Amino acid sequence: MPRLRSRQQFQAVLANAPVAKTPHFALHRLAPGPAAEGSSPLFPEPGPWLGVLVPKRWARRAVTRNAIRRQIYATAPAAVALPVAAHVVRLRSGFDRSHFVSASSAALTHAVREELQQLWARALARGAHAATGHVA
């Protein structure tokens, strides 16, 4: 599955309201649209695209950000299950450091994975036909 790389790709997807939310994550989706004449399309390949946004504001340590990023990519449904669209998973609040003392603890990994599976389930239940809209 291709990953979002450029700032323009992220901005285009994040301009839409989240299609699914959990306490710590939000999933934004942008359905493919026609490209303007004379411009290169933001998403040249057809199919689902995936981007991850884990700001320092919510995960101070790089090891935590990288662990969360790895869990997002690992839990993402297979390309056949995702609708043809660009998706961005955004960390929208931090995990309590008093419960997860270690930045890459097994408890944090388990909590992140469980919440991401809920996020993907909500997004897939919402259906492939609704590429933009309000929170599920």
Side-chain angles (χ1 to χ4, degrees):
M1 174 178 340
R3 294 184 182 180
L4 275 65
R5 300 282 183 200
S6 72
R7 182 180 184 103
Q8 293 82 14
Q9 289 175 325
F10 277 93
Q11 286 177 335
V13 178
L14 291 172
N16 295 311
V19 293
K21 282 185 180 180
T22 61
H24 295 97
F25 296 99
L27 175 68
H28 297 263
R29 184 184 297 156
L30 174 66
E37 268 187 55
S39 68
S40 63
L42 281 176
F43 308 102
E45 295 176 28
W49 287 69
L50 182 60
V52 175
L53 189 63
V54 183
K56 273 188 183 179
R57 177 181 182 186
W58 301 122
R60 281 299 211 198
R61 298 178 64 189
V63 66
T64 306
R65 290 192 306 276
N66 291 331
I68 291 172
R69 234 180 249 116
R70 281 191 302 273
Q71 289 300 316
I72 292 170
Y73 286 121
T75 60
V80 294
L82 279 177
V84 176
H87 303 82
V88 172
V89 177
R90 177 177 56 91
L91 181 65
R92 63 188 197 110
S93 66
F95 285 88
D96 187 10
R97 292 184 80 178
S98 64
H99 289 104
F100 307 106
V101 179
S102 173
S104 62
S105 67
L108 178 62
T109 301
H110 179 62
V112 168
R113 181 174 283 268
E114 201 171 279
E115 195 167 322
L116 285 168
Q117 288 171 343
Q118 291 173 7
L119 181 76
W120 289 114
R122 288 178 186 172
L124 292 175
R126 186 169 166 84
H129 67 283
T132 60
H134 295 289
V135 177

